[in-house]
Amino acid sequence: MTHTNHRQGSRESLRDDWVILSLPYRGPPHVMEKVERFKEICARHGAVNADRPKAWHIFVFDRRENMEAALKELTDAGLGHSVVVAGLFDEVADCCRRAGTKAHTVNHSLGFWGKREKLPRPQVLEITTMCGHALVAPALVTRLAEKVRDGDTSLEEACQEMRRMCLCDIFNHVRAQRLMAGLVESMGAPAEESGG
Amino acid sequence: MIIREELCTGCLDCLPYCPMSAIVHDEATGLAKIVEDECVECGVCYRARVCATDAVFPQPLEWPRTLRMEFSDPSSPYLSPVFEHRTIARFQRDLRGMDRRRLLDREGEELTISGRGTIEMKMNDVMGRYKRGQAGVAAEIGRPGVGARFRDVEKVARALTTAGVKFEPDNPLTDLMTDVRTGALLPEILNEKVLSCIIEFTVPLASLPRVLSALRDVSSQIDTVFAVDLISVVEEDGSVPTVPVVEAMGLTPSIAGKTNVGLGRPLAPLD
């Protein structure tokens, strides 16, 4: 499973996109006690997806400070479970140092190879790749952007609708609002208003 | 997945939800229709509950079409007989016995996302699966969001064997091979289409250029895309030994990705 590994965007764009996940997610009571502690720590430090039950123990943050605070408390708690943080490598390494741990193993993306002309345009790809399983359809992103542009739905509602498709709830709906606003802006006015 | 013609009102609200754009407007009937050969059985259109008349319907699947759901719906258990040995946990057996409609209805804590690769580096601190001097590589065929036929997966697998790759035995794709030495897949599955399929393996760092060159060569011979992952243990000084190797090939590692932050205990030996 590498579904947090190909989130797209510039350094600036990725500064509001951090994920903490932990394994195991099933086990005997003494293991699950630690899992519950992990979940409590992540939720308390402002994970933006802490409002829904989860099949996986995945927490999404829109502020590095919150992710770092959670990482520091997880380090101090000494739960002994493996923890993975997805985000900008150099900033995660800095967070690790300040939290009292260090990067152990990394997984880089080397990008998308092959018939790249089949990919949606970059602005859409930045949104769809936040569901690594690709359950958020490019056509849905475009359709919702049109609805936002036309005043038929709000940015927040549109991004919650995309989030609903993502089974792991790893889709960063807060970052998506910013990306979606840019997409809507790039679309220009509705056809009837622009005379077309 | 099918759309029951007698229930469809032709509102077409379901069309944009399909990751494969396999739901189309049937001009002859004015209704929505799923192009069966393009549908990867991911279940998004069904779970979206966007159809007011409940016309979107999960039909029973038979081998080898079952592979579409297994590789495209992250909540699906392994259903195909070829994965019989993977049904090891009680919850997997329970899921296997569940009819597809109930399976797709599961939500929240009842959902089990089992993935279609391995846990790769997520527990490397305690498992030591990737050692110093090695690189973990994955080619995620069809990702992101383009989809792939197994015939293209086979092309990539065959190309990798020429570079000396040995496939990860715990990856379900290996179960679909008739010969792991050549990367040949079961002939009856080659036209099946999935959202993505992961080829995983570990190679000595010295072999990485040859393997990535093979991937680069085959990338022009397939009708889809693939995402490439590169796993490495971080050195004591914080450097990542795979980075200079791929940069020398003109490749640019991503600025963001996954970091195992070393909190697992006890730590596994890496040498």
Side-chain angles (χ1 to χ4, degrees):
Chain A
M1 284 283 294
T2 54
H3 69 328
T4 56
N5 221 42
H6 302 285
R7 291 157 103 97
Q8 301 291 293
S10 65
R11 171 173 288 276
E12 197 53 44
S13 173
L14 290 163
R15 281 223 163 90
D16 56 4
D17 194 26
W18 311 91
V19 179
I20 298 182
L21 64 91
S22 176
L23 294 171
Y25 48 95
R26 286 176 188 273
H30 71 279
V31 171
M32 295 315 290
E33 277 175 24
K34 292 181 177 180
V35 169
E36 289 304 315
R37 177 87 172 116
F38 166 84
K39 290 162 69 175
E40 183 271 323
I41 290 171
C42 289
R44 181 157 42 74
H45 285 289
V48 299
N49 65 341
D51 57 331
R52 290 186 185 168
K54 301 195 173 3
W56 274 49
H57 304 313
I58 292 172
F59 291 88
V60 178
F61 297 82
D62 68 324
R63 293 167 56 87
R64 195 202 65 189
E65 294 78 5
N66 290 353
M67 176 276 287
E68 184 174 342
L71 179 59
K72 174 79 169 70
E73 195 168 337
L74 288 171
T75 305
D76 292 344
L79 302 177
H81 288 185
S82 297
V83 171
V84 170
V85 178
L88 291 162
F89 285 115
D90 53 355
E91 297 202 21
V92 170
D94 288 344
C95 291
C96 283
R97 274 191 287 275
R98 288 191 291 267
T101 184
K102 58 185 178 183
H104 181 281
T105 308
V106 289
N107 192 345
H108 283 94
S109 169
L110 292 181
F112 307 131
W113 299 14
K115 278 207 168 168
R116 290 180 52 88
E117 61 269 30
K118 292 196 169 209
L119 295 171
R121 59 180 163 139
Q123 275 183 304
V124 174
L125 200 59
E126 283 185 23
I127 296 174
T128 57
T129 50
M130 287 197 292
C131 171
H133 289 119
L135 302 179
V136 177
L140 180 63
V141 175
T142 306
R143 179 72 192 111
L144 288 169
E146 289 168 351
K147 289 177 81 169
V148 172
R149 177 197 63 188
D150 297 347
D152 293 335
T153 191
S154 68
L155 266 180
E156 184 178 355
E157 286 171 342
C159 295
Q160 288 288 358
E161 180 65 0
M162 291 187 288
R163 177 190 180 189
R164 204 165 63 82
M165 301 304 114
C166 177
L167 281 172
C168 299
D169 201 19
I170 205 167
F171 184 86
N172 186 337
H173 61 97
V174 177
R175 178 183 184 227
Q177 287 189 45
R178 186 175 56 71
L179 297 175
M180 185 66 123
L183 180 61
V184 172
E185 193 179 331
S186 73
M187 294 170 82
E192 59 273 20
E193 289 178 21
S194 61
Chain B
M1 207 66 64
I2 56 170
I3 293 177
R4 290 179 289 191
E5 207 171 281
E6 70 278 14
L7 293 177
C8 178
T9 63
C11 73
L12 309 182
D13 285 349
C14 56
L15 261 64
Y17 284 82
C18 177
M20 294 288 95
S21 297
I23 310 179
V24 297
H25 179 204
D26 186 337
E27 301 277 348
T29 63
L31 306 176
K33 180 179 81 173
I34 293 178
V35 180
E36 192 178 4
D37 191 43
E38 294 297 324
C39 171
V40 294
E41 303 288 353
C42 63
V44 168
C45 56
Y46 179 76
R47 285 192 302 270
R49 298 181 187 281
V50 71
C51 181
T53 59
D54 208 15
V56 179
F57 189 75
Q59 85 278 30
L61 301 179
E62 292 181 2
W63 168 265
R65 194 172 175 87
T66 42
L67 290 173
R68 296 188 182 225
M69 183 185 184
E70 290 165 329
F71 280 85
S72 307
D73 179 353
S75 70
S76 168
Y78 293 109
L79 299 167
S80 301
V82 70
F83 299 129
E84 182 67 43
H85 64 289
R86 293 188 182 275
T87 313
I88 50 174
R90 187 186 61 78
F91 67 87
Q92 273 276 344
R93 283 201 300 273
D94 291 347
L95 293 176
R96 253 190 139 189
M98 202 179 278
D99 77 46
R100 187 157 181 236
R101 190 164 183 120
R102 283 185 58 214
L103 198 62
L104 290 168
D105 272 339
R106 292 176 307 131
E107 289 179 350
E109 292 290 2
E110 292 180 50
L111 202 62
T112 301
I113 312 281
S114 51
R116 290 302 173 262
T118 66
I119 60 169
E120 29 97 8
M121 47 71 85
K122 292 189 188 74
M123 296 179 74
N124 202 46
D125 46 359
V126 294
M127 294 176 75
R129 180 176 169 188
Y130 305 98
K131 308 290 188 190
R132 296 191 196 284
Q134 292 182 331
V137 181
E140 306 182 64
I141 321 294
R143 194 174 275 188
V146 173
R149 305 268 174 190
F150 278 109
R151 75 170 72 92
D152 277 336
V153 177
E154 185 184 63
K155 280 182 191 170
V156 178
R158 283 184 182 276
L160 286 167
T161 59
T162 64
V165 162
K166 289 187 171 56
F167 301 109
E168 167 58 53
D170 285 340
N171 184 301
L173 178 66
T174 311
D175 295 330
L176 302 177
M177 290 182 178
T178 55
D179 188 344
V180 293
R181 293 166 303 178
T182 64
L185 297 178
L186 293 163
E188 69 267 31
I189 73 169
L190 295 181
N191 192 50
E192 295 302 326
K193 185 178 179 182
V194 295
L195 253 178
S196 63
C197 178
I198 306 175
I199 300 176
E200 287 179 84
F201 50 92
T202 303
V203 293
L205 204 52
S207 302
L208 189 57
R210 188 157 67 109
V211 168
L212 292 177
S213 292
L215 274 179
R216 190 153 54 186
D217 291 345
V218 78
S219 69
S220 63
Q221 299 162 30
I222 58 172
D223 191 32
T224 185
V225 295
F226 56 89
V228 182
D229 303 293
L230 182 61
I231 297 170
S232 176
V233 171
V234 179
E235 298 289 2
E236 286 298 320
D237 64 0
S239 65
V240 180
T242 49
V243 168
V245 176
V246 298
E247 284 180 341
M249 297 181 69
L251 300 170
T252 306
S254 57
I255 55 174
K258 294 195 302 192
T259 302
N260 178 318
V261 296
L263 296 184
R265 293 292 181 276
L267 290 169
L270 294 174
D271 296 309

PDB file of all heavy atoms in Angstrom, chain A residues 163-186:
ATOM      1  N   ARG A 163     -14.455  13.864  -0.468  1.00  0.00           N
ATOM      2  CA  ARG A 163     -13.945  13.112   0.690  1.00  0.00           C
ATOM      3  C   ARG A 163     -14.761  11.833   0.910  1.00  0.00           C
ATOM      4  O   ARG A 163     -14.215  10.794   1.264  1.00  0.00           O
ATOM      5  CB  ARG A 163     -14.018  14.001   1.936  1.00  0.00           C
ATOM      6  CG  ARG A 163     -13.593  13.316   3.216  1.00  0.00           C
ATOM      7  CD  ARG A 163     -13.913  14.160   4.437  1.00  0.00           C
ATOM      8  NE  ARG A 163     -13.514  13.501   5.663  1.00  0.00           N
ATOM      9  CZ  ARG A 163     -13.829  13.934   6.871  1.00  0.00           C
ATOM     10  NH1 ARG A 163     -14.534  15.054   7.026  1.00  0.00           N
ATOM     11  NH2 ARG A 163     -13.453  13.273   7.945  1.00  0.00           N
ATOM     12  N   ARG A 164     -16.054  11.929   0.671  1.00  0.00           N
ATOM     13  CA  ARG A 164     -16.959  10.803   0.887  1.00  0.00           C
ATOM     14  C   ARG A 164     -16.578   9.595   0.024  1.00  0.00           C
ATOM     15  O   ARG A 164     -16.870   8.458   0.374  1.00  0.00           O
ATOM     16  CB  ARG A 164     -18.390  11.284   0.557  1.00  0.00           C
ATOM     17  CG  ARG A 164     -19.508  10.539   1.210  1.00  0.00           C
ATOM     18  CD  ARG A 164     -20.794  11.326   1.108  1.00  0.00           C
ATOM     19  NE  ARG A 164     -21.257  11.540  -0.249  1.00  0.00           N
ATOM     20  CZ  ARG A 164     -21.939  10.662  -0.979  1.00  0.00           C
ATOM     21  NH1 ARG A 164     -22.207   9.477  -0.480  1.00  0.00           N
ATOM     22  NH2 ARG A 164     -22.348  10.958  -2.203  1.00  0.00           N
ATOM     23  N   MET A 165     -15.949   9.824  -1.113  1.00  0.00           N
ATOM     24  CA  MET A 165     -15.582   8.719  -2.000  1.00  0.00           C
ATOM     25  C   MET A 165     -14.362   7.949  -1.490  1.00  0.00           C
ATOM     26  O   MET A 165     -14.128   6.817  -1.866  1.00  0.00           O
ATOM     27  CB  MET A 165     -15.263   9.253  -3.415  1.00  0.00           C
ATOM     28  CG  MET A 165     -16.400  10.005  -4.083  1.00  0.00           C
ATOM     29  SD  MET A 165     -17.890   9.019  -4.190  1.00  0.00           S
ATOM     30  CE  MET A 165     -18.982   9.943  -3.112  1.00  0.00           C
ATOM     31  N   CYS A 166     -13.566   8.600  -0.647  1.00  0.00           N
ATOM     32  CA  CYS A 166     -12.270   8.053  -0.222  1.00  0.00           C
ATOM     33  C   CYS A 166     -12.472   7.111   0.966  1.00  0.00           C
ATOM     34  O   CYS A 166     -12.698   7.560   2.091  1.00  0.00           O
ATOM     35  CB  CYS A 166     -11.334   9.210   0.144  1.00  0.00           C
ATOM     36  SG  CYS A 166      -9.732   8.688   0.768  1.00  0.00           S
ATOM     37  N   LEU A 167     -12.365   5.812   0.727  1.00  0.00           N
ATOM     38  CA  LEU A 167     -12.674   4.817   1.761  1.00  0.00           C
ATOM     39  C   LEU A 167     -11.753   4.928   2.977  1.00  0.00           C
ATOM     40  O   LEU A 167     -12.175   4.668   4.094  1.00  0.00           O
ATOM     41  CB  LEU A 167     -12.558   3.411   1.170  1.00  0.00           C
ATOM     42  CG  LEU A 167     -13.734   2.916   0.330  1.00  0.00           C
ATOM     43  CD1 LEU A 167     -13.377   1.605  -0.341  1.00  0.00           C
ATOM     44  CD2 LEU A 167     -14.979   2.758   1.182  1.00  0.00           C
ATOM     45  N   CYS A 168     -10.504   5.273   2.757  1.00  0.00           N
ATOM     46  CA  CYS A 168      -9.556   5.365   3.872  1.00  0.00           C
ATOM     47  C   CYS A 168      -9.687   6.685   4.628  1.00  0.00           C
ATOM     48  O   CYS A 168      -9.050   6.861   5.664  1.00  0.00           O
ATOM     49  CB  CYS A 168      -8.128   5.257   3.362  1.00  0.00           C
ATOM     50  SG  CYS A 168      -7.759   3.728   2.536  1.00  0.00           S
ATOM     51  N   ASP A 169     -10.462   7.617   4.097  1.00  0.00           N
ATOM     52  CA  ASP A 169     -10.596   8.962   4.671  1.00  0.00           C
ATOM     53  C   ASP A 169      -9.234   9.630   4.816  1.00  0.00           C
ATOM     54  O   ASP A 169      -8.951  10.304   5.796  1.00  0.00           O
ATOM     55  CB  ASP A 169     -11.321   8.918   6.023  1.00  0.00           C
ATOM     56  CG  ASP A 169     -11.914  10.282   6.390  1.00  0.00           C
ATOM     57  OD1 ASP A 169     -12.087  11.124   5.480  1.00  0.00           O
ATOM     58  OD2 ASP A 169     -12.198  10.510   7.577  1.00  0.00           O
ATOM     59  N   ILE A 170      -8.416   9.442   3.798  1.00  0.00           N
ATOM     60  CA  ILE A 170      -7.078  10.042   3.797  1.00  0.00           C
ATOM     61  C   ILE A 170      -7.069  11.306   2.935  1.00  0.00           C
ATOM     62  O   ILE A 170      -6.079  12.024   2.870  1.00  0.00           O
ATOM     63  CB  ILE A 170      -6.057   9.002   3.288  1.00  0.00           C
ATOM     64  CG1 ILE A 170      -4.663   9.305   3.811  1.00  0.00           C
ATOM     65  CG2 ILE A 170      -6.060   8.896   1.771  1.00  0.00           C
ATOM     66  CD1 ILE A 170      -3.699   8.170   3.613  1.00  0.00           C
ATOM     67  N   PHE A 171      -8.191  11.562   2.292  1.00  0.00           N
ATOM     68  CA  PHE A 171      -8.354  12.741   1.427  1.00  0.00           C
ATOM     69  C   PHE A 171      -8.375  13.987   2.305  1.00  0.00           C
ATOM     70  O   PHE A 171      -9.207  14.102   3.209  1.00  0.00           O
ATOM     71  CB  PHE A 171      -9.668  12.595   0.654  1.00  0.00           C
ATOM     72  CG  PHE A 171      -9.939  13.681  -0.349  1.00  0.00           C
ATOM     73  CD1 PHE A 171      -9.429  13.595  -1.635  1.00  0.00           C
ATOM     74  CD2 PHE A 171     -10.722  14.770  -0.020  1.00  0.00           C
ATOM     75  CE1 PHE A 171      -9.693  14.592  -2.569  1.00  0.00           C
ATOM     76  CE2 PHE A 171     -10.999  15.762  -0.945  1.00  0.00           C
ATOM     77  CZ  PHE A 171     -10.480  15.672  -2.223  1.00  0.00           C
ATOM     78  N   ASN A 172      -7.462  14.913   2.031  1.00  0.00           N
ATOM     79  CA  ASN A 172      -7.364  16.137   2.843  1.00  0.00           C
ATOM     80  C   ASN A 172      -8.383  17.158   2.312  1.00  0.00           C
ATOM     81  O   ASN A 172      -8.099  17.920   1.388  1.00  0.00           O
ATOM     82  CB  ASN A 172      -5.938  16.690   2.774  1.00  0.00           C
ATOM     83  CG  ASN A 172      -5.717  17.875   3.699  1.00  0.00           C
ATOM     84  OD1 ASN A 172      -6.664  18.561   4.081  1.00  0.00           O
ATOM     85  ND2 ASN A 172      -4.476  18.115   4.041  1.00  0.00           N
ATOM     86  N   HIS A 173      -9.555  17.157   2.930  1.00  0.00           N
ATOM     87  CA  HIS A 173     -10.633  18.009   2.418  1.00  0.00           C
ATOM     88  C   HIS A 173     -10.378  19.484   2.686  1.00  0.00           C
ATOM     89  O   HIS A 173     -10.935  20.345   2.000  1.00  0.00           O
ATOM     90  CB  HIS A 173     -11.985  17.573   3.008  1.00  0.00           C
ATOM     91  CG  HIS A 173     -12.061  17.667   4.500  1.00  0.00           C
ATOM     92  ND1 HIS A 173     -12.615  18.727   5.140  1.00  0.00           N
ATOM     93  CD2 HIS A 173     -11.650  16.831   5.476  1.00  0.00           C
ATOM     94  CE1 HIS A 173     -12.546  18.541   6.444  1.00  0.00           C
ATOM     95  NE2 HIS A 173     -11.959  17.392   6.676  1.00  0.00           N
ATOM     96  N   VAL A 174      -9.524  19.790   3.663  1.00  0.00           N
ATOM     97  CA  VAL A 174      -9.202  21.196   3.934  1.00  0.00           C
ATOM     98  C   VAL A 174      -8.275  21.741   2.836  1.00  0.00           C
ATOM     99  O   VAL A 174      -8.524  22.800   2.261  1.00  0.00           O
ATOM    100  CB  VAL A 174      -8.564  21.350   5.322  1.00  0.00           C
ATOM    101  CG1 VAL A 174      -8.164  22.795   5.573  1.00  0.00           C
ATOM    102  CG2 VAL A 174      -9.527  20.858   6.395  1.00  0.00           C
ATOM    103  N   ARG A 175      -7.221  20.965   2.531  1.00  0.00           N
ATOM    104  CA  ARG A 175      -6.352  21.373   1.418  1.00  0.00           C
ATOM    105  C   ARG A 175      -7.148  21.406   0.108  1.00  0.00           C
ATOM    106  O   ARG A 175      -6.936  22.279  -0.739  1.00  0.00           O
ATOM    107  CB  ARG A 175      -5.187  20.393   1.290  1.00  0.00           C
ATOM    108  CG  ARG A 175      -4.263  20.733   0.127  1.00  0.00           C
ATOM    109  CD  ARG A 175      -3.138  19.709  -0.029  1.00  0.00           C
ATOM    110  NE  ARG A 175      -2.222  20.113  -1.084  1.00  0.00           N
ATOM    111  CZ  ARG A 175      -1.771  19.303  -2.046  1.00  0.00           C
ATOM    112  NH1 ARG A 175      -2.156  18.028  -2.070  1.00  0.00           N
ATOM    113  NH2 ARG A 175      -0.944  19.747  -2.972  1.00  0.00           N
ATOM    114  N   ALA A 176      -8.050  20.461  -0.031  1.00  0.00           N
ATOM    115  CA  ALA A 176      -8.839  20.383  -1.273  1.00  0.00           C
ATOM    116  C   ALA A 176      -9.609  21.676  -1.526  1.00  0.00           C
ATOM    117  O   ALA A 176      -9.779  22.083  -2.680  1.00  0.00           O
ATOM    118  CB  ALA A 176      -9.797  19.195  -1.211  1.00  0.00           C
ATOM    119  N   GLN A 177     -10.060  22.324  -0.449  1.00  0.00           N
ATOM    120  CA  GLN A 177     -10.814  23.574  -0.647  1.00  0.00           C
ATOM    121  C   GLN A 177      -9.941  24.636  -1.302  1.00  0.00           C
ATOM    122  O   GLN A 177     -10.390  25.370  -2.173  1.00  0.00           O
ATOM    123  CB  GLN A 177     -11.343  24.081   0.693  1.00  0.00           C
ATOM    124  CG  GLN A 177     -12.498  23.256   1.224  1.00  0.00           C
ATOM    125  CD  GLN A 177     -13.150  23.897   2.434  1.00  0.00           C
ATOM    126  OE1 GLN A 177     -13.403  25.099   2.460  1.00  0.00           O
ATOM    127  NE2 GLN A 177     -13.423  23.084   3.439  1.00  0.00           N
ATOM    128  N   ARG A 178      -8.698  24.703  -0.865  1.00  0.00           N
ATOM    129  CA  ARG A 178      -7.801  25.696  -1.464  1.00  0.00           C
ATOM    130  C   ARG A 178      -7.510  25.350  -2.929  1.00  0.00           C
ATOM    131  O   ARG A 178      -7.546  26.218  -3.806  1.00  0.00           O
ATOM    132  CB  ARG A 178      -6.494  25.764  -0.667  1.00  0.00           C
ATOM    133  CG  ARG A 178      -5.566  26.862  -1.134  1.00  0.00           C
ATOM    134  CD  ARG A 178      -4.340  26.983  -0.239  1.00  0.00           C
ATOM    135  NE  ARG A 178      -3.574  25.746  -0.109  1.00  0.00           N
ATOM    136  CZ  ARG A 178      -2.836  25.227  -1.096  1.00  0.00           C
ATOM    137  NH1 ARG A 178      -2.799  25.829  -2.269  1.00  0.00           N
ATOM    138  NH2 ARG A 178      -2.161  24.113  -0.901  1.00  0.00           N
ATOM    139  N   LEU A 179      -7.254  24.064  -3.168  1.00  0.00           N
ATOM    140  CA  LEU A 179      -6.969  23.643  -4.540  1.00  0.00           C
ATOM    141  C   LEU A 179      -8.194  23.846  -5.436  1.00  0.00           C
ATOM    142  O   LEU A 179      -8.089  24.274  -6.588  1.00  0.00           O
ATOM    143  CB  LEU A 179      -6.538  22.174  -4.564  1.00  0.00           C
ATOM    144  CG  LEU A 179      -5.255  21.834  -3.813  1.00  0.00           C
ATOM    145  CD1 LEU A 179      -5.017  20.330  -3.817  1.00  0.00           C
ATOM    146  CD2 LEU A 179      -4.060  22.555  -4.432  1.00  0.00           C
ATOM    147  N   MET A 180      -9.355  23.535  -4.887  1.00  0.00           N
ATOM    148  CA  MET A 180     -10.594  23.664  -5.655  1.00  0.00           C
ATOM    149  C   MET A 180     -10.879  25.130  -5.975  1.00  0.00           C
ATOM    150  O   MET A 180     -11.340  25.452  -7.078  1.00  0.00           O
ATOM    151  CB  MET A 180     -11.744  23.043  -4.853  1.00  0.00           C
ATOM    152  CG  MET A 180     -13.065  22.996  -5.576  1.00  0.00           C
ATOM    153  SD  MET A 180     -12.994  21.902  -6.998  1.00  0.00           S
ATOM    154  CE  MET A 180     -14.304  20.774  -6.639  1.00  0.00           C
ATOM    155  N   ALA A 181     -10.577  26.009  -5.032  1.00  0.00           N
ATOM    156  CA  ALA A 181     -10.801  27.441  -5.285  1.00  0.00           C
ATOM    157  C   ALA A 181      -9.958  27.895  -6.475  1.00  0.00           C
ATOM    158  O   ALA A 181     -10.427  28.658  -7.336  1.00  0.00           O
ATOM    159  CB  ALA A 181     -10.451  28.254  -4.035  1.00  0.00           C
ATOM    160  N   GLY A 182      -8.721  27.416  -6.539  1.00  0.00           N
ATOM    161  CA  GLY A 182      -7.848  27.756  -7.664  1.00  0.00           C
ATOM    162  C   GLY A 182      -8.378  27.187  -8.973  1.00  0.00           C
ATOM    163  O   GLY A 182      -8.333  27.841 -10.018  1.00  0.00           O
ATOM    164  N   LEU A 183      -8.891  25.964  -8.898  1.00  0.00           N
ATOM    165  CA  LEU A 183      -9.445  25.330 -10.103  1.00  0.00           C
ATOM    166  C   LEU A 183     -10.655  26.106 -10.618  1.00  0.00           C
ATOM    167  O   LEU A 183     -10.790  26.367 -11.819  1.00  0.00           O
ATOM    168  CB  LEU A 183      -9.834  23.878  -9.782  1.00  0.00           C
ATOM    169  CG  LEU A 183     -10.438  23.062 -10.913  1.00  0.00           C
ATOM    170  CD1 LEU A 183      -9.467  22.931 -12.088  1.00  0.00           C
ATOM    171  CD2 LEU A 183     -10.815  21.654 -10.405  1.00  0.00           C
ATOM    172  N   VAL A 184     -11.531  26.495  -9.687  1.00  0.00           N
ATOM    173  CA  VAL A 184     -12.735  27.246 -10.068  1.00  0.00           C
ATOM    174  C   VAL A 184     -12.337  28.576 -10.711  1.00  0.00           C
ATOM    175  O   VAL A 184     -12.896  28.974 -11.746  1.00  0.00           O
ATOM    176  CB  VAL A 184     -13.632  27.483  -8.831  1.00  0.00           C
ATOM    177  CG1 VAL A 184     -14.779  28.433  -9.166  1.00  0.00           C
ATOM    178  CG2 VAL A 184     -14.174  26.154  -8.302  1.00  0.00           C
ATOM    179  N   GLU A 185     -11.359  29.215 -10.114  1.00  0.00           N
ATOM    180  CA  GLU A 185     -10.910  30.497 -10.651  1.00  0.00           C
ATOM    181  C   GLU A 185     -10.372  30.342 -12.072  1.00  0.00           C
ATOM    182  O   GLU A 185     -10.624  31.170 -12.945  1.00  0.00           O
ATOM    183  CB  GLU A 185      -9.830  31.079  -9.734  1.00  0.00           C
ATOM    184  CG  GLU A 185      -9.523  32.541 -10.008  1.00  0.00           C
ATOM    185  CD  GLU A 185      -8.465  33.069  -9.043  1.00  0.00           C
ATOM    186  OE1 GLU A 185      -8.370  32.564  -7.916  1.00  0.00           O
ATOM    187  OE2 GLU A 185      -7.723  33.980  -9.456  1.00  0.00           O
ATOM    188  N   SER A 186      -9.665  29.232 -12.292  1.00  0.00           N
ATOM    189  CA  SER A 186      -9.076  29.017 -13.621  1.00  0.00           C
ATOM    190  C   SER A 186     -10.128  28.710 -14.683  1.00  0.00           C
ATOM    191  O   SER A 186      -9.863  28.806 -15.878  1.00  0.00           O
ATOM    192  CB  SER A 186      -8.061  27.871 -13.573  1.00  0.00           C
ATOM    193  OG  SER A 186      -8.725  26.621 -13.448  1.00  0.00           O
TER     194      SER A 186
END
